[in-house]
Amino acid sequence: MFQHLTTVRPGAGSRGRNEAGITTAEYAVGTAAGAGFAGLLYKMLTGGFGNRLLNTLFDHVLGLLGIG
């Protein structure tokens, strides 16, 4: 009546491959990319572009609220 189902994990039977450092490398790449993006964002927002962007955003929001 019921069939017995077994779950087979991919790579469960493979031997000889050492992938212990892969997660560390992925974290390092992700951290470096995040730091680079944060630096770029900081430079953009602390310059004239950031001031114009924030002023435009606040003016737009105040206009939508009917205050400005």
Side-chain angles (χ1 to χ4, degrees):
M1 182 171 198
F2 293 104
Q3 291 181 339
H4 179 68
L5 299 176
T6 58
T7 303
V8 178
R9 293 180 304 172
S14 63
R15 296 186 186 272
R17 293 191 323 184
N18 184 8
E19 297 181 0
I22 286 186
T23 55
T24 303
E26 289 171 351
Y27 283 126
V29 169
T31 302
F37 181 69
L40 178 67
L41 192 61
Y42 175 77
K43 277 300 210 181
M44 286 176 59
L45 291 179
T46 56
F49 174 76
N51 288 334
R52 287 191 309 271
L53 178 68
L54 289 175
N55 284 335
T56 303
L57 179 66
F58 286 139
D59 289 342
H60 184 70
V61 169
L62 292 175
L64 287 174
L65 295 174
I67 298 172

Short mmCIF file of all heavy atoms in Angstrom, two decimals:
data_model
loop_
_atom_site.label_atom_id
_atom_site.label_comp_id
_atom_site.label_asym_id
_atom_site.label_seq_id
_atom_site.Cartn_x
_atom_site.Cartn_y
_atom_site.Cartn_z
N MET A 1 0.81 -1.19 0.00
CA MET A 1 0.00 0.00 0.00
C MET A 1 0.87 1.26 0.00
O MET A 1 0.68 2.12 -0.83
CB MET A 1 -0.93 -0.04 1.20
CG MET A 1 -1.84 1.13 1.26
SD MET A 1 -3.06 0.85 2.54
CE MET A 1 -4.22 2.03 2.05
N PHE A 2 1.78 1.37 0.95
CA PHE A 2 2.67 2.53 1.00
C PHE A 2 4.03 2.16 0.45
O PHE A 2 4.54 1.08 0.72
CB PHE A 2 2.84 3.03 2.44
CG PHE A 2 1.58 3.59 3.02
CD1 PHE A 2 0.83 2.87 3.92
CD2 PHE A 2 1.15 4.85 2.64
CE1 PHE A 2 -0.32 3.38 4.46
CE2 PHE A 2 -0.01 5.37 3.17
CZ PHE A 2 -0.75 4.65 4.08
N GLN A 3 4.60 3.05 -0.31
CA GLN A 3 5.95 2.82 -0.81
C GLN A 3 6.94 3.51 0.11
O GLN A 3 6.68 4.60 0.60
CB GLN A 3 6.11 3.37 -2.21
CG GLN A 3 5.34 2.61 -3.25
CD GLN A 3 5.57 3.23 -4.63
OE1 GLN A 3 5.95 4.37 -4.73
NE2 GLN A 3 5.34 2.44 -5.66
N HIS A 4 8.05 2.89 0.31
CA HIS A 4 9.09 3.49 1.13
C HIS A 4 9.93 4.41 0.25
O HIS A 4 10.51 3.98 -0.74
CB HIS A 4 9.97 2.40 1.75
CG HIS A 4 11.07 2.94 2.60
ND1 HIS A 4 10.82 3.58 3.79
CD2 HIS A 4 12.40 2.97 2.42
CE1 HIS A 4 11.96 3.97 4.32
NE2 HIS A 4 12.93 3.60 3.50
N LEU A 5 9.96 5.68 0.59
CA LEU A 5 10.72 6.65 -0.19
C LEU A 5 12.02 6.97 0.53
O LEU A 5 12.02 7.21 1.74
CB LEU A 5 9.91 7.94 -0.38
CG LEU A 5 8.60 7.80 -1.11
CD1 LEU A 5 7.87 9.13 -1.14
CD2 LEU A 5 8.84 7.30 -2.52
N THR A 6 13.08 6.97 -0.19
CA THR A 6 14.37 7.34 0.40
C THR A 6 14.83 8.64 -0.24
O THR A 6 14.61 8.88 -1.42
CB THR A 6 15.43 6.25 0.17
OG1 THR A 6 15.56 6.05 -1.23
CG2 THR A 6 15.04 4.96 0.86
N THR A 7 15.46 9.46 0.55
CA THR A 7 15.99 10.72 0.07
C THR A 7 17.47 10.56 -0.20
O THR A 7 18.22 10.11 0.67
CB THR A 7 15.78 11.83 1.12
OG1 THR A 7 14.40 11.90 1.41
CG2 THR A 7 16.26 13.15 0.60
N VAL A 8 17.86 10.89 -1.39
CA VAL A 8 19.26 10.81 -1.76
C VAL A 8 19.80 12.22 -1.86
O VAL A 8 19.30 13.04 -2.61
CB VAL A 8 19.45 10.07 -3.11
CG1 VAL A 8 20.91 10.03 -3.49
CG2 VAL A 8 18.86 8.69 -3.02
N ARG A 9 20.82 12.50 -1.07
CA ARG A 9 21.44 13.82 -1.11
C ARG A 9 22.46 13.86 -2.25
O ARG A 9 23.23 12.93 -2.42
CB ARG A 9 22.15 14.12 0.20
CG ARG A 9 21.21 14.27 1.35
CD ARG A 9 21.96 14.57 2.59
NE ARG A 9 22.96 13.50 2.80
CZ ARG A 9 23.89 13.53 3.72
NH1 ARG A 9 24.00 14.55 4.52
NH2 ARG A 9 24.73 12.54 3.85
N PRO A 10 22.46 14.95 -3.02
CA PRO A 10 23.45 15.06 -4.08
C PRO A 10 24.85 15.11 -3.49
O PRO A 10 25.12 15.86 -2.56
CB PRO A 10 23.12 16.38 -4.77
CG PRO A 10 21.78 16.78 -4.27
CD PRO A 10 21.54 16.05 -2.99
N GLY A 11 25.71 14.30 -4.01
CA GLY A 11 27.10 14.31 -3.56
C GLY A 11 27.34 13.56 -2.26
O GLY A 11 28.41 13.62 -1.68
N ALA A 12 26.33 12.86 -1.77
CA ALA A 12 26.48 12.17 -0.50
C ALA A 12 27.48 11.04 -0.60
O ALA A 12 28.17 10.73 0.36
CB ALA A 12 25.13 11.65 -0.02
N GLY A 13 27.57 10.42 -1.76
CA GLY A 13 28.48 9.29 -1.90
C GLY A 13 29.83 9.67 -2.48
O GLY A 13 30.70 8.83 -2.62
N SER A 14 30.03 10.93 -2.82
CA SER A 14 31.30 11.32 -3.42
C SER A 14 32.37 11.45 -2.35
O SER A 14 32.14 11.94 -1.26
CB SER A 14 31.16 12.63 -4.19
OG SER A 14 30.83 13.67 -3.30
N ARG A 15 33.54 10.99 -2.68
CA ARG A 15 34.67 11.06 -1.75
C ARG A 15 35.86 11.68 -2.46
O ARG A 15 35.95 11.66 -3.67
CB ARG A 15 35.04 9.67 -1.25
CG ARG A 15 33.97 9.01 -0.44
CD ARG A 15 34.47 7.70 0.14
NE ARG A 15 33.41 6.99 0.79
CZ ARG A 15 33.06 7.15 2.06
NH1 ARG A 15 33.71 8.01 2.79
NH2 ARG A 15 32.08 6.46 2.57
N GLY A 16 36.73 12.24 -1.69
CA GLY A 16 37.96 12.77 -2.27
C GLY A 16 37.91 14.25 -2.59
O GLY A 16 38.92 14.82 -2.95
N ARG A 17 36.75 14.89 -2.47
CA ARG A 17 36.68 16.32 -2.75
C ARG A 17 36.71 17.07 -1.43
O ARG A 17 35.91 16.81 -0.54
CB ARG A 17 35.40 16.67 -3.51
CG ARG A 17 35.39 16.10 -4.89
CD ARG A 17 34.29 16.63 -5.75
NE ARG A 17 33.05 16.86 -5.03
CZ ARG A 17 31.94 17.26 -5.60
NH1 ARG A 17 31.92 17.46 -6.89
NH2 ARG A 17 30.84 17.46 -4.90
N ASN A 18 37.61 18.01 -1.32
CA ASN A 18 37.71 18.82 -0.11
C ASN A 18 37.22 20.22 -0.43
O ASN A 18 37.88 20.96 -1.15
CB ASN A 18 39.15 18.84 0.40
CG ASN A 18 39.26 19.58 1.71
OD1 ASN A 18 38.26 19.94 2.31
ND2 ASN A 18 40.49 19.78 2.16
N GLU A 19 36.07 20.59 0.07
CA GLU A 19 35.49 21.91 -0.18
C GLU A 19 35.36 22.70 1.11
O GLU A 19 34.46 23.50 1.28
CB GLU A 19 34.13 21.76 -0.86
CG GLU A 19 34.21 21.10 -2.22
CD GLU A 19 32.85 20.99 -2.87
OE1 GLU A 19 31.86 21.41 -2.27
OE2 GLU A 19 32.79 20.47 -3.99
N ALA A 20 36.27 22.48 2.04
CA ALA A 20 36.17 23.12 3.35
C ALA A 20 36.34 24.63 3.28
O ALA A 20 35.76 25.35 4.07
CB ALA A 20 37.20 22.52 4.29
N GLY A 21 37.13 25.14 2.35
CA GLY A 21 37.40 26.57 2.29
C GLY A 21 36.47 27.38 1.42
O GLY A 21 36.61 28.57 1.32
N ILE A 22 35.51 26.74 0.80
CA ILE A 22 34.65 27.46 -0.14
C ILE A 22 33.77 28.48 0.58
O ILE A 22 33.63 29.60 0.15
CB ILE A 22 33.81 26.48 -0.96
CG1 ILE A 22 34.72 25.83 -1.98
CG2 ILE A 22 32.65 27.17 -1.64
CD1 ILE A 22 34.03 24.94 -2.96
N THR A 23 33.19 28.13 1.70
CA THR A 23 32.32 29.09 2.38
C THR A 23 33.11 30.28 2.88
O THR A 23 32.63 31.41 2.85
CB THR A 23 31.58 28.43 3.56
OG1 THR A 23 32.53 27.84 4.43
CG2 THR A 23 30.62 27.38 3.07
N THR A 24 34.33 30.06 3.32
CA THR A 24 35.17 31.17 3.77
C THR A 24 35.47 32.12 2.61
O THR A 24 35.41 33.34 2.77
CB THR A 24 36.48 30.63 4.36
OG1 THR A 24 36.16 29.73 5.42
CG2 THR A 24 37.33 31.75 4.91
N ALA A 25 35.75 31.58 1.45
CA ALA A 25 36.03 32.41 0.28
C ALA A 25 34.78 33.19 -0.14
O ALA A 25 34.88 34.36 -0.51
CB ALA A 25 36.52 31.55 -0.87
N GLU A 26 33.63 32.56 -0.05
CA GLU A 26 32.39 33.26 -0.42
C GLU A 26 32.11 34.40 0.54
O GLU A 26 31.68 35.48 0.14
CB GLU A 26 31.22 32.28 -0.43
CG GLU A 26 31.28 31.31 -1.60
CD GLU A 26 30.25 30.21 -1.50
OE1 GLU A 26 29.59 30.09 -0.45
OE2 GLU A 26 30.10 29.46 -2.47
N TYR A 27 32.34 34.18 1.83
CA TYR A 27 32.16 35.26 2.80
C TYR A 27 33.14 36.40 2.54
O TYR A 27 32.79 37.57 2.66
CB TYR A 27 32.34 34.75 4.23
CG TYR A 27 31.16 33.98 4.75
CD1 TYR A 27 31.30 32.71 5.27
CD2 TYR A 27 29.88 34.53 4.73
CE1 TYR A 27 30.22 32.00 5.74
CE2 TYR A 27 28.79 33.83 5.20
CZ TYR A 27 28.97 32.56 5.71
OH TYR A 27 27.90 31.87 6.18
N ALA A 28 34.36 36.08 2.18
CA ALA A 28 35.36 37.11 1.91
C ALA A 28 34.97 37.95 0.70
O ALA A 28 35.07 39.18 0.74
CB ALA A 28 36.73 36.46 1.69
N VAL A 29 34.50 37.31 -0.35
CA VAL A 29 34.07 38.05 -1.54
C VAL A 29 32.85 38.90 -1.23
O VAL A 29 32.77 40.07 -1.64
CB VAL A 29 33.78 37.08 -2.71
CG1 VAL A 29 33.09 37.78 -3.86
CG2 VAL A 29 35.07 36.42 -3.17
N GLY A 30 31.89 38.36 -0.49
CA GLY A 30 30.71 39.12 -0.12
C GLY A 30 31.04 40.31 0.77
O GLY A 30 30.49 41.40 0.60
N THR A 31 31.97 40.13 1.70
CA THR A 31 32.38 41.22 2.57
C THR A 31 33.09 42.32 1.79
O THR A 31 32.83 43.51 1.99
CB THR A 31 33.30 40.69 3.69
OG1 THR A 31 32.59 39.69 4.42
CG2 THR A 31 33.72 41.80 4.62
N ALA A 32 33.98 41.93 0.88
CA ALA A 32 34.69 42.91 0.06
C ALA A 32 33.73 43.68 -0.84
O ALA A 32 33.84 44.90 -0.97
CB ALA A 32 35.76 42.22 -0.78
N ALA A 33 32.75 42.99 -1.42
CA ALA A 33 31.78 43.67 -2.28
C ALA A 33 30.91 44.62 -1.46
O ALA A 33 30.62 45.74 -1.89
CB ALA A 33 30.91 42.63 -2.99
N GLY A 34 30.51 44.19 -0.28
CA GLY A 34 29.70 45.06 0.59
C GLY A 34 30.46 46.29 1.03
O GLY A 34 29.92 47.40 1.06
N ALA A 35 31.74 46.12 1.37
CA ALA A 35 32.55 47.26 1.78
C ALA A 35 32.76 48.23 0.62
O ALA A 35 32.71 49.45 0.80
CB ALA A 35 33.90 46.78 2.31
N GLY A 36 32.98 47.71 -0.57
CA GLY A 36 33.14 48.57 -1.74
C GLY A 36 31.88 49.35 -2.05
O GLY A 36 31.91 50.54 -2.35
N PHE A 37 30.73 48.68 -1.96
CA PHE A 37 29.45 49.35 -2.22
C PHE A 37 29.18 50.41 -1.16
O PHE A 37 28.71 51.50 -1.48
CB PHE A 37 28.32 48.33 -2.25
CG PHE A 37 26.98 48.93 -2.53
CD1 PHE A 37 26.69 49.45 -3.78
CD2 PHE A 37 26.01 49.00 -1.55
CE1 PHE A 37 25.45 50.02 -4.06
CE2 PHE A 37 24.77 49.56 -1.81
CZ PHE A 37 24.50 50.07 -3.06
N ALA A 38 29.50 50.12 0.10
CA ALA A 38 29.30 51.10 1.17
C ALA A 38 30.19 52.32 0.96
O ALA A 38 29.76 53.46 1.17
CB ALA A 38 29.58 50.46 2.52
N GLY A 39 31.43 52.11 0.53
CA GLY A 39 32.33 53.23 0.26
C GLY A 39 31.82 54.10 -0.88
O GLY A 39 31.86 55.33 -0.80
N LEU A 40 31.34 53.46 -1.92
CA LEU A 40 30.80 54.20 -3.07
C LEU A 40 29.56 54.99 -2.66
O LEU A 40 29.42 56.17 -3.00
CB LEU A 40 30.46 53.23 -4.20
CG LEU A 40 29.83 53.84 -5.44
CD1 LEU A 40 30.82 54.74 -6.16
CD2 LEU A 40 29.36 52.73 -6.37
N LEU A 41 28.68 54.36 -1.91
CA LEU A 41 27.47 55.03 -1.44
C LEU A 41 27.80 56.21 -0.53
O LEU A 41 27.20 57.28 -0.64
CB LEU A 41 26.58 54.03 -0.72
CG LEU A 41 25.16 54.45 -0.40
CD1 LEU A 41 24.41 54.76 -1.69
CD2 LEU A 41 24.46 53.35 0.37
N TYR A 42 28.78 56.04 0.34
CA TYR A 42 29.20 57.12 1.23
C TYR A 42 29.72 58.31 0.43
O TYR A 42 29.37 59.46 0.70
CB TYR A 42 30.27 56.61 2.20
CG TYR A 42 30.84 57.70 3.07
CD1 TYR A 42 30.12 58.18 4.16
CD2 TYR A 42 32.09 58.25 2.80
CE1 TYR A 42 30.64 59.17 4.96
CE2 TYR A 42 32.60 59.26 3.59
CZ TYR A 42 31.88 59.72 4.67
OH TYR A 42 32.38 60.72 5.45
N LYS A 43 30.56 58.04 -0.55
CA LYS A 43 31.12 59.12 -1.38
C LYS A 43 30.03 59.86 -2.14
O LYS A 43 30.06 61.08 -2.27
CB LYS A 43 32.14 58.57 -2.37
CG LYS A 43 33.50 58.38 -1.80
CD LYS A 43 34.03 59.68 -1.30
CE LYS A 43 35.52 59.75 -1.40
NZ LYS A 43 36.03 61.01 -0.89
N MET A 44 29.05 59.11 -2.65
CA MET A 44 27.97 59.74 -3.41
C MET A 44 27.10 60.61 -2.51
O MET A 44 26.71 61.71 -2.89
CB MET A 44 27.10 58.67 -4.08
CG MET A 44 27.75 58.02 -5.28
SD MET A 44 26.75 56.71 -5.98
CE MET A 44 25.25 57.57 -6.39
N LEU A 45 26.78 60.12 -1.31
CA LEU A 45 25.83 60.83 -0.46
C LEU A 45 26.47 61.99 0.30
O LEU A 45 25.76 62.89 0.73
CB LEU A 45 25.17 59.87 0.52
CG LEU A 45 24.23 58.87 -0.13
CD1 LEU A 45 23.63 57.95 0.91
CD2 LEU A 45 23.13 59.56 -0.91
N THR A 46 27.78 61.99 0.47
CA THR A 46 28.42 63.10 1.19
C THR A 46 28.80 64.24 0.25
O THR A 46 29.21 65.30 0.70
CB THR A 46 29.67 62.63 1.95
OG1 THR A 46 30.56 62.00 1.04
CG2 THR A 46 29.30 61.69 3.07
N GLY A 47 28.66 64.06 -1.03
CA GLY A 47 28.97 65.12 -2.00
C GLY A 47 27.72 65.91 -2.35
O GLY A 47 26.67 65.81 -1.72
N GLY A 48 27.83 66.71 -3.38
CA GLY A 48 26.71 67.54 -3.83
C GLY A 48 25.54 66.71 -4.32
O GLY A 48 24.38 67.10 -4.16
N PHE A 49 25.83 65.56 -4.91
CA PHE A 49 24.77 64.69 -5.40
C PHE A 49 23.86 64.24 -4.26
O PHE A 49 22.64 64.22 -4.40
CB PHE A 49 25.37 63.47 -6.12
CG PHE A 49 24.35 62.46 -6.54
CD1 PHE A 49 23.54 62.68 -7.63
CD2 PHE A 49 24.19 61.28 -5.82
CE1 PHE A 49 22.60 61.75 -8.02
CE2 PHE A 49 23.24 60.34 -6.20
CZ PHE A 49 22.45 60.59 -7.31
N GLY A 50 24.45 63.90 -3.14
CA GLY A 50 23.67 63.45 -1.98
C GLY A 50 22.78 64.54 -1.44
O GLY A 50 21.61 64.29 -1.09
N ASN A 51 23.30 65.75 -1.39
CA ASN A 51 22.49 66.87 -0.90
C ASN A 51 21.30 67.14 -1.81
O ASN A 51 20.18 67.34 -1.36
CB ASN A 51 23.34 68.13 -0.77
CG ASN A 51 24.30 68.05 0.39
OD1 ASN A 51 24.06 67.33 1.35
ND2 ASN A 51 25.40 68.78 0.29
N ARG A 52 21.55 67.13 -3.12
CA ARG A 52 20.46 67.35 -4.08
C ARG A 52 19.43 66.23 -4.00
O ARG A 52 18.23 66.47 -4.05
CB ARG A 52 21.01 67.46 -5.49
CG ARG A 52 21.74 68.76 -5.76
CD ARG A 52 22.03 68.95 -7.25
NE ARG A 52 22.69 67.81 -7.87
CZ ARG A 52 24.01 67.64 -7.93
NH1 ARG A 52 24.83 68.52 -7.38
NH2 ARG A 52 24.52 66.58 -8.52
N LEU A 53 19.91 65.00 -3.85
CA LEU A 53 19.02 63.85 -3.77
C LEU A 53 18.12 63.94 -2.54
O LEU A 53 16.90 63.76 -2.63
CB LEU A 53 19.83 62.55 -3.73
CG LEU A 53 19.03 61.26 -3.59
CD1 LEU A 53 18.23 61.00 -4.86
CD2 LEU A 53 19.95 60.10 -3.29
N LEU A 54 18.69 64.25 -1.40
CA LEU A 54 17.90 64.35 -0.17
C LEU A 54 16.92 65.52 -0.23
O LEU A 54 15.78 65.40 0.22
CB LEU A 54 18.82 64.47 1.04
CG LEU A 54 19.59 63.20 1.40
CD1 LEU A 54 20.55 63.46 2.55
CD2 LEU A 54 18.64 62.07 1.76
N ASN A 55 17.36 66.66 -0.76
CA ASN A 55 16.46 67.81 -0.88
C ASN A 55 15.28 67.49 -1.80
O ASN A 55 14.13 67.83 -1.50
CB ASN A 55 17.20 69.04 -1.38
CG ASN A 55 18.06 69.67 -0.30
OD1 ASN A 55 17.78 69.52 0.88
ND2 ASN A 55 19.09 70.36 -0.71
N THR A 56 15.56 66.85 -2.92
CA THR A 56 14.50 66.47 -3.85
C THR A 56 13.53 65.48 -3.20
O THR A 56 12.31 65.61 -3.35
CB THR A 56 15.11 65.86 -5.13
OG1 THR A 56 16.02 66.79 -5.70
CG2 THR A 56 14.04 65.50 -6.13
N LEU A 57 14.09 64.53 -2.49
CA LEU A 57 13.26 63.53 -1.83
C LEU A 57 12.35 64.16 -0.78
O LEU A 57 11.15 63.90 -0.74
CB LEU A 57 14.14 62.46 -1.18
CG LEU A 57 13.42 61.34 -0.43
CD1 LEU A 57 12.61 60.50 -1.40
CD2 LEU A 57 14.41 60.49 0.32
N PHE A 58 12.92 65.02 0.07
CA PHE A 58 12.11 65.67 1.09
C PHE A 58 11.05 66.60 0.49
O PHE A 58 9.91 66.63 0.95
CB PHE A 58 12.98 66.45 2.08
CG PHE A 58 13.74 65.57 3.02
CD1 PHE A 58 15.05 65.86 3.36
CD2 PHE A 58 13.15 64.44 3.60
CE1 PHE A 58 15.75 65.05 4.24
CE2 PHE A 58 13.85 63.63 4.48
CZ PHE A 58 15.15 63.94 4.80
N ASP A 59 11.43 67.32 -0.55
CA ASP A 59 10.46 68.22 -1.21
C ASP A 59 9.31 67.39 -1.80
O ASP A 59 8.14 67.79 -1.72
CB ASP A 59 11.12 69.04 -2.30
CG ASP A 59 12.05 70.12 -1.74
OD1 ASP A 59 11.90 70.44 -0.54
OD2 ASP A 59 12.90 70.61 -2.50
N HIS A 60 9.64 66.25 -2.40
CA HIS A 60 8.62 65.39 -2.99
C HIS A 60 7.67 64.85 -1.92
O HIS A 60 6.45 64.86 -2.10
CB HIS A 60 9.27 64.26 -3.77
CG HIS A 60 8.31 63.37 -4.48
ND1 HIS A 60 7.59 63.79 -5.57
CD2 HIS A 60 7.93 62.09 -4.24
CE1 HIS A 60 6.81 62.81 -5.98
NE2 HIS A 60 7.00 61.77 -5.18
N VAL A 61 8.23 64.37 -0.82
CA VAL A 61 7.40 63.81 0.25
C VAL A 61 6.52 64.90 0.87
O VAL A 61 5.33 64.68 1.12
CB VAL A 61 8.29 63.14 1.33
CG1 VAL A 61 7.47 62.78 2.57
CG2 VAL A 61 8.94 61.89 0.77
N LEU A 62 7.08 66.08 1.11
CA LEU A 62 6.29 67.16 1.66
C LEU A 62 5.19 67.59 0.70
O LEU A 62 4.08 67.93 1.12
CB LEU A 62 7.18 68.35 2.02
CG LEU A 62 8.14 68.13 3.19
CD1 LEU A 62 9.05 69.34 3.38
CD2 LEU A 62 7.38 67.83 4.46
N GLY A 63 5.49 67.57 -0.59
CA GLY A 63 4.46 67.88 -1.60
C GLY A 63 3.34 66.86 -1.61
O GLY A 63 2.17 67.21 -1.75
N LEU A 64 3.69 65.58 -1.45
CA LEU A 64 2.67 64.54 -1.40
C LEU A 64 1.78 64.69 -0.16
O LEU A 64 0.58 64.40 -0.21
CB LEU A 64 3.31 63.15 -1.38
CG LEU A 64 3.92 62.67 -2.69
CD1 LEU A 64 4.65 61.35 -2.49
CD2 LEU A 64 2.86 62.52 -3.76
N LEU A 65 2.37 65.14 0.93
CA LEU A 65 1.61 65.34 2.16
C LEU A 65 0.82 66.63 2.16
O LEU A 65 0.00 66.87 3.03
CB LEU A 65 2.54 65.29 3.37
CG LEU A 65 3.24 63.96 3.65
CD1 LEU A 65 4.23 64.10 4.78
CD2 LEU A 65 2.21 62.88 3.97
N GLY A 66 1.10 67.52 1.19
CA GLY A 66 0.42 68.80 1.10
C GLY A 66 0.96 69.84 2.05
O GLY A 66 0.31 70.85 2.32
N ILE A 67 2.16 69.63 2.56
CA ILE A 67 2.77 70.56 3.52
C ILE A 67 3.65 71.58 2.79
O ILE A 67 3.68 72.74 3.15
CB ILE A 67 3.60 69.79 4.57
CG1 ILE A 67 2.70 68.85 5.35
CG2 ILE A 67 4.31 70.75 5.50
CD1 ILE A 67 3.44 67.91 6.28
N GLY A 68 4.38 71.12 1.79
CA GLY A 68 5.39 71.98 1.16
C GLY A 68 4.97 72.62 -0.08
O GLY A 68 4.37 72.55 -0.96
#
